[in-house]
């Protein structure tokens, strides 16, 4: 399958997005240490005492960004892989993957930097366009097998 | 792989479920606007002021439904794809996919409409049956490679 | 693809991890019943009354463990499948899968048992090593298709 150039193109952007998600997890961890705000008492005990078992708005913001990624990037990993098997042209397919990747990168930046609304929402909606497009093209390709 | 009719059948239901999840995200967004309950201060500022940076029980209900979908539909996307490669009969495989899809649709309806317990829990448990069945059949197929 | 021994080896560990996640969901449900702490009013009504629509620290701990699994095991399901297609040796590939699986099992135990820090964090970091390794090897394999 990696000799299929559309699939390999998809894989490239998909792995970048997975690494971006790992980056969010890393930032969450760093924020927890810097702001001394831990989700578990045993972590707080190791880093100063039970009073640091607490919420922090910056940590929560990062976790919301991460959750939104799960809601959107994980379905992309599925849709992009299947869409690549439906025989789209490389140019059209790459456009789908590029728009999604760029918008989700912007989404994370807009979330973490708390950019004024509706920057983040626009990035979210624009990223959905290639996803819904792929979903509909896949349905058209397999509808006879339902 | 899309010429494999079991796999294509799986893909059909899987994409429907992904679209169902997108629908939950859409409903969450609409509820946030209608109930004026935003997770981020910058969103609240755009829609009336900082007092709308608040929780709302209907929004939280929708988010719980969405999270439960992530916990269950994402593993199905994996299990269903692999199970399709183990050579099941189309009829048996379609039954697995149909039961899961129908139960997860019911789960969302029961969650959003707050149907009396145990409707939602029953839908959840019934949807797990084909998943565990597929997991065990996959394990049986690959156990010699562990 | 199941005749590819690296892929089948990956599938074996991947399915074990999915079953482990189902186990966490099951434990969460049992804890909700035992501690009488329900996320939804309709569940509380069925199990004693509206006062049981409440949070419980043990239930929340289990949910954090589950969410962390979603953040880490779902990307593994993707990376492991693609990595298996890049032609790694079976020994090296199995080492990647085994380290990840063992560390994520330990992560769940450390989370649920609230083992002293940094046991859980170490398991998390160690499990990331094979994931980042696979991500980089995949990127190297498909970089020319970007």
């Amino acid at each position: 399958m990696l000799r299929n150039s559309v699939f390999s193109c998809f894989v490239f952007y998909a792995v970048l997005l997975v690494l971006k998600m790992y980056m969010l997890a890393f930032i969450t961890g760093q924020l927890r240490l810097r702001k001394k705000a831990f989700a578990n008492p045993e972590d707080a005990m190791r880093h100063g005492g039970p009073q640091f078992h607490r919420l922090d708005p910056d940590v929560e913001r990062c976790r919301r960004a991460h959750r939104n990624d799960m809601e959107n990037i994980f379905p992309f990993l599925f849709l992009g892989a299947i869409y690549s098997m439906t025989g789209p042209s490389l140019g059209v397919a790459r456009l789908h993957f590029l728009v999604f990747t760029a918008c989700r990168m912007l989404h994370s930046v807009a979330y973490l930097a708390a950019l004024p609304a509706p920057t983040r929402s626009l990035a979210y909606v624009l990223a959905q366009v290639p996803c819904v497009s792929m979903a509909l093209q896949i349905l058209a390709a397999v509808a006879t097998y339902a």
Side-chain angles (χ1 to χ4, degrees), chain A:
Chain A
M1 284 170 74
L2 290 178
R3 262 167 273 152
N4 173 334
S5 60
V6 172
F7 187 76
S8 289
C9 178
F10 155 71
V11 163
F12 180 81
Y13 292 106
V15 171
L16 287 189
L17 289 165
V18 168
L19 290 174
K20 190 201 73 56
M21 291 182 75
Y22 287 164
M23 184 69 63
L24 273 185
F26 179 78
I27 293 171
T28 303
Q30 293 307 107
L31 278 174
R32 283 196 186 284
L33 287 168
R34 189 145 57 83
K35 310 281 298 268
K36 286 199 162 295
F38 299 98
N40 297 291
E42 64 269 27
D43 304 338
M45 289 313 289
R46 185 178 159 84
H47 294 284
Q51 72 272 30
F52 299 124
H53 177 214
R54 59 180 181 185
L55 294 178
D56 174 85
D58 291 340
V59 170
E60 294 309 305
R61 172 177 291 279
C62 206
R63 294 184 72 236
R64 287 195 299 275
H66 201 168
R67 176 171 162 161
N68 196 282
D69 269 357
M70 291 202 286
E71 292 172 1
N72 290 283
I73 292 178
F74 289 159
F76 172 81
L77 299 183
F78 179 75
L79 294 176
I82 306 292
Y83 168 70
S84 300
M85 301 171 188
T86 63
S89 82
L90 180 56
V92 172
R94 178 184 276 133
L95 187 67
H96 281 72
F97 307 148
L98 255 176
V99 168
F100 183 79
T101 303
C103 288
R104 292 308 305 184
M105 297 280 184
L106 174 61
H107 184 272
S108 294
V109 170
Y111 223 137
L112 295 195
L115 296 187
T119 314
R120 193 193 77 245
S121 307
L122 275 181
Y124 163 77
V125 169
L126 264 175
Q128 286 307 88
V129 174
C131 287
V132 172
S133 164
M134 292 191 294
L136 297 180
Q137 291 177 69
I138 294 168
L139 282 185
V142 301
T144 53
Y145 295 95

